[in-house]
């Protein structure tokens, strides 16, 4: 199973960027992971008849066949153990690619969220994009260590 994390904007803070790179390297021990910067979503494209922006439409085309997990405050919150179980089920189902999508300050359109396979909330609290990326990577790593019985989650 391949994991892609797609996000708008670069991580500006060097300590968070270092943490993200560290967790990405750790995840590589379990599965392939890539971090991909998205073009700016807000105000950069027109909405189509479907309610999607042209950038969102292109992104959906790019992710055809992937399980799309949109991070959204309205999504389902999971404990670390529930998230690990979900990762394990996706792997057992034969999911080839999990694409985690983190929007910019304005998030994704309602139409785009409806195209998601999963809406996931990391927290009901508001997180910056940089912190959301870091927390997501840590939770993915934690999920794999829980599945493998490693001592990290303690």
């Amino acid at each position: 199973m391949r994991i892609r994390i797609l996000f708008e904007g670069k991580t500006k803070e060097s300590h968070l960027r270092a943490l993200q790179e560290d967790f990405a390297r750790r995840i590589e021990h379990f599965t392939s992971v890539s971090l991909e910067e998205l073009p700016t979503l807000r105000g950069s494209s027109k909405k189509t008849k479907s309610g999607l922006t042209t950038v969102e439409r292109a992104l959906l085309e790019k992710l055809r066949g992937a399980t799309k997990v949109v991070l959204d405050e309205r999504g389902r919150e999971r404990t670390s153990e529930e998230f690990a179980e979900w990762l394990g089920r996706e792997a057992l189902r034969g999911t080839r690619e999990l694409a985690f999508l983190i929007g910019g300050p304005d998030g994704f359109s309602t139409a785009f969220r409806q195209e998601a396979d999963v809406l996931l909330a990391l927290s009901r609290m508001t997180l910056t994009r940089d912190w959301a990326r870091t927390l997501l990577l840590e939770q993915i790593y934690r999920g794999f260590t829980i599945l493998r019985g490693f001592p990290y989650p303690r």
Side-chain angles (χ1 to χ4, degrees):
M1 178 171 69
R2 177 178 175 209
I3 294 179
R4 292 170 73 183
I5 300 174
L6 299 100
F7 53 88
E8 183 182 340
K10 295 180 194 258
T11 302
K12 296 174 187 122
E13 297 181 41
S14 61
H15 65 284
L16 289 179
R17 194 170 39 254
L19 274 172
Q20 291 169 14
E21 291 166 1
D22 179 49
F23 281 117
R25 277 192 301 276
R26 291 178 187 209
I27 293 167
E28 285 284 343
H29 292 287
F30 302 106
T31 192
S32 170
V33 64
S34 66
L35 305 173
E36 304 171 33
E37 188 178 342
L38 297 171
T40 300
L41 297 171
R42 67 175 170 207
S44 65
S45 61
K46 298 176 184 174
K47 286 200 176 189
T48 62
K49 289 180 183 178
S50 65
L52 296 167
T53 65
T54 53
V55 172
E56 289 173 335
R57 169 77 49 214
L59 184 55
L60 287 174
E61 284 296 317
K62 180 179 180 177
L63 297 173
R64 188 181 300 253
T67 298
K68 293 171 282 310
V69 181
V70 173
L71 272 64
D72 187 271
E73 63 190 7
R74 293 164 286 248
R76 179 175 173 203
E77 285 183 294
R78 298 173 190 245
T79 66
S80 295
E81 290 78 15
E82 290 169 340
F83 184 69
E85 289 173 15
W86 176 79
L87 278 175
R89 280 193 309 273
E90 289 299 311
L92 286 174
R93 284 183 45 209
T95 299
R96 291 181 181 262
E97 184 173 81
L98 284 176
F100 291 89
L101 297 123
I102 304 171
D106 299 326
F108 293 104
S109 70
T110 301
F112 188 84
R113 287 192 309 272
Q114 290 172 348
E115 294 288 331
D117 298 299
V118 176
L119 286 179
L120 176 66
L122 293 176
S123 171
R124 293 289 177 225
M125 294 180 175
T126 302
L127 302 170
T128 66
R129 294 172 287 168
D130 294 351
W131 276 106
R133 275 180 236 142
T134 306
L135 182 57
L136 175 63
L137 284 160
E138 193 278 337
Q139 286 298 301
I140 292 170
Y141 176 69
R142 182 177 295 271
F144 281 114
T145 61
I146 289 170
L147 290 172
R148 300 284 170 90
F150 287 13
Y152 172 80
R154 297 183 189 265

